[in-house]
Amino acid sequence: MSSGKVVDEKRAVSIYLGLGIFFIPIIFSWFTLRRGYSSLAQVVSFSWLVILFGIIGAKDVTENNSVYQAEYTTSYQLTEDVGIELEAKIQNSGGVRLVGTTNLPEGTVLMGSISAPDNGYFAQDKLRVVGSKFESAVFSNKGMPLSNGIYIAKIVMPLPKLQSDSVKSIIGVSGEYLSGPLVEKDELGVSVSKLTKFIIDTAEE
């Protein structure tokens, strides 16, 4: 007479399943959860899955760091004098937008300003280098067109210590890698500046 008690059949990990777990654990480790496989087989297979993911993750991080280092310390390292091309574009609204290009690194923070010594006008805007270009907001006289006169547009790179770590890795923590006629060095540190003059004369239109 049968007692009705069910005894689980013990399963051994076959050579084919073992190879599957070794090479593709993300799929074959789950087979060990089926009835009959020992806890040891389950622990070993899933431990190998975790270890393999850890190895892959560490490899990705290393490769990404290598790419980052190559990109920001070799490919984009300044090997020539700092260059800035600056243009003051007069808008249809009567305001002015500063635009330009530079070989300063991606993400460099700049300060753009417009001043007019004759009428006392002065305004500035914080810019950032993106794709070797920069662009300011539109400068106006409290929403109105700028008055006629001679204006000075200026772009300044603040002290290197105020820049991001990625920028400092290229220009130097104190700007020691910067060179050229646009670079100014004094007791306060190193800065970069570029200026241009333009005239607003609505009578010419």
Side-chain angles (χ1 to χ4, degrees), residues 71-106:
E71 180 177 0
Y72 287 100
T73 63
T74 303
S75 301
Y76 290 92
Q77 201 167 49
L78 289 180
T79 57
E80 57 186 5
D81 290 349
V82 175
I84 298 177
E85 295 295 330
L86 173 61
E87 181 182 359
K89 287 190 173 184
I90 300 176
Q91 308 295 297
N92 293 332
S93 63
V96 174
R97 187 190 300 274
L98 302 183
V99 298
T101 59
T102 180
N103 61 349
L104 287 169
E106 185 83 0

Side-chain angles (χ1 to χ4, degrees), residues 8 10-11 13 17 21 25 28-50:
D8 289 341
K10 297 295 183 180
R11 293 186 179 184
V13 177
L17 179 57
I21 292 172
F28 288 94
S29 292
W30 298 97
F31 283 84
T32 62
L33 295 179
R34 298 169 64 184
R35 178 177 295 179
Y37 288 106
S38 67
S39 297
L40 178 62
Q42 297 167 0
V43 170
V44 171
S45 61
F46 280 94
S47 295
W48 171 239
L49 174 62
V50 172

Side-chain angles (χ1 to χ4, degrees), residues 90 147-151 197-202 204:
I90 300 176
S147 303
N148 289 350
I150 299 175
Y151 290 80
K197 293 183 178 180
F198 64 96
I199 299 175
I200 293 182
D201 186 357
T202 55
E204 293 182 356

